Amino acid sequence: MEGILPLFKPKGMTSHDCVFRLRKILRMKKIGHTGTLDPDVTGVLPICLGRATKVAEYITDAGKSYEGEVTIGFSTTTEDASGEVVERKDVAVAISRSQVMKVLQSLTGEITQTPPMYSAVKVNGKRLYEYARQGIEVERPSRKVTIYSIELLDDREMLEGENITFRFRVACSKGTYIRTLAVMIGCELGYPAHMSDLVRIQSASLTLDDCLTFEEIEDRAEKGTMAEVLRPMEAALSHLPKFQISDKVAEKVKNGAVLTIPDHLLDTKGPIAVEEKEGLVLAIYEHHPRKPGLMKPVKVLRNDQ
């Protein structure tokens, strides 16, 4: 069995928990997830089965979309609803829709984020959440991420109350912490804040509509119909630039040959999907580091056909 299984991750499970459970349901070991989702977060978690584990990193690197909820008025240790309250400041004056829209616009594009202490980012070989659980504060490396768009999902003209909650939809690059984005929104409005709910609605080309629950997967596993819902490896690579080759060149690609970069891809950066005429991706290539105009394989995906 191989392919990409779009899982609807339920609340209360880590990504690793999901892999562990699927290994038992599907009775196979070669299963990998495509980037961690916090236990409180639900939604799209693409799972790679069999040979498709080779392309997991390309789903991880692709853009993501989320629907989240910000609560203005208090912040937490974890920057989400599961943490302990750190700071409170009641919203004394109503916040207008235009104020919120202005803040969201200011946070669109390339921004700098500092990962939360309760995160899986490594510092000196140790994950930040391990330091946090020991009560140790360490310097966290800031990173640049891209917010492609933020849409306010609230039609109120004035937001008022001691604590204000509103929903938003965001499309972003890999490495973006939506928890931290919620805190940044609050900060720009002049109040402590946290992310009170989050659903991932898209990962690479996979959406909520594509996802199966654990119950649906168990049912299909019993009936032997899992293959019907698995997506091909190409679903993980749809966002990459493509280079289509002839059958003659395909044999060379399967053996790891260096290729000339086609003119239309000379200005690209990052991985290139080399595919047959039928659309099957044979390998992932990248620009050769020492030989201009050539590209070399970083992963041969299909060399047994």
Side-chain angles (χ1 to χ4, degrees):
M1 193 188 302
E2 71 172 43
I4 298 164
L5 172 60
L7 172 70
F8 180 85
K9 189 191 92 63
K11 191 169 284 194
M13 295 181 75
T14 65
S15 298
H16 181 72
D17 292 337
C18 292
V19 169
F20 183 76
R21 184 170 174 184
L22 285 171
R23 282 180 179 148
K24 295 177 76 174
I25 295 171
L26 303 177
R27 297 178 184 176
M28 61 184 294
K29 288 185 177 180
K30 203 169 183 183
I31 299 180
H33 64 73
T34 54
T36 54
L37 275 182
D38 294 333
D40 281 354
V41 181
T42 63
V44 183
L45 179 61
I47 301 289
C48 296
L49 309 180
R51 185 163 50 176
T53 53
K54 290 183 178 182
V55 300
E57 66 187 89
Y58 301 105
I59 298 181
T60 304
D61 291 347
K64 312 285 191 295
S65 295
Y66 300 85
E67 284 190 7
E69 182 182 79
V70 183
T71 293
I72 310 287
F74 65 96
S75 59
T76 70
T77 51
T78 56
E79 300 187 348
D80 61 19
S82 66
E84 298 175 7
V85 176
V86 175
E87 181 187 1
R88 285 188 184 276
K89 181 183 176 184
D90 292 343
V91 181
V93 181
I95 298 173
S96 69
R97 178 184 178 81
S98 60
Q99 283 177 280
V100 176
M101 294 293 288
K102 187 176 180 181
V103 167
L104 298 186
Q105 188 175 7
S106 73
L107 292 172
T108 303
E110 188 176 78
I111 63 172
T112 300
Q113 285 192 326
T114 302
M117 276 301 297
Y118 282 89
S119 65
V121 173
K122 281 189 175 181
V123 173
N124 298 324
K126 196 173 177 179
R127 299 197 184 277
L128 283 174
Y129 64 72
E130 295 178 289
Y131 290 111
R133 288 169 183 168
Q134 295 171 356
I136 302 170
E137 184 84 22
V138 295
E139 188 173 340
R140 292 165 281 166
S142 294
R143 60 170 68 163
K144 289 189 182 297
V145 298
T146 303
I147 306 298
Y148 302 118
S149 64
I150 313 182
E151 180 184 353
L152 178 62
L153 302 178
D154 194 307
D155 56 8
R156 289 175 291 175
E157 287 301 321
M158 298 298 292
L159 308 175
E160 50 192 340
E162 291 183 355
N163 298 320
I164 290 172
T165 297
F166 58 85
R167 297 191 69 82
F168 64 96
R169 184 182 296 123
V170 58
C172 57
S173 66
K174 79 162 189 173
T176 305
Y177 279 95
I178 310 299
R179 286 180 284 161
T180 303
L181 182 64
V183 171
M184 294 171 78
I185 291 170
C187 183
E188 291 296 315
L189 290 169
Y191 293 93
H194 69 281
M195 181 191 75
S196 42
D197 184 57
L198 188 65
V199 181
R200 184 195 275 169
I201 60 173
Q202 185 168 354
S203 179
S205 62
L206 301 170
T207 68
L208 282 175
D209 290 339
D210 300 316
C211 289
L212 283 82
T213 64
F214 276 112
E215 291 71 29
E216 290 170 324
I217 293 167
E218 286 173 338
D219 183 57
R220 284 190 172 272
E222 287 178 14
K223 294 176 179 175
T225 60
M226 276 302 303
E228 296 175 6
V229 293
L230 295 183
R231 301 303 174 95
M233 286 193 284
E234 285 70 21
L237 308 171
S238 61
H239 61 290
L240 299 184
K242 306 293 190 300
F243 176 35
Q244 195 172 92
I245 56 173
S246 66
D247 293 342
K248 186 177 179 180
V249 177
E251 290 306 314
K252 296 179 180 179
V253 167
K254 291 174 185 178
N255 292 311
V258 171
L259 300 178
T260 300
I261 303 173
D263 291 344
H264 73 284
L265 295 177
L266 280 171
D267 295 330
T268 61
K269 293 181 180 178
I272 297 166
V274 175
E275 63 180 14
E276 291 182 306
K277 291 177 182 177
E278 294 79 13
L280 285 180
V281 177
L282 298 182
I284 306 298
Y285 274 66
E286 64 181 18
H287 288 235
H288 201 292
R290 297 181 305 280
K291 299 176 181 177
L294 297 180
M295 59 182 185
K296 67 183 187 75
V298 289
K299 265 182 193 178
V300 176
L301 305 179
R302 292 183 169 98
N303 56 6
D304 55 353
Q305 297 180 15

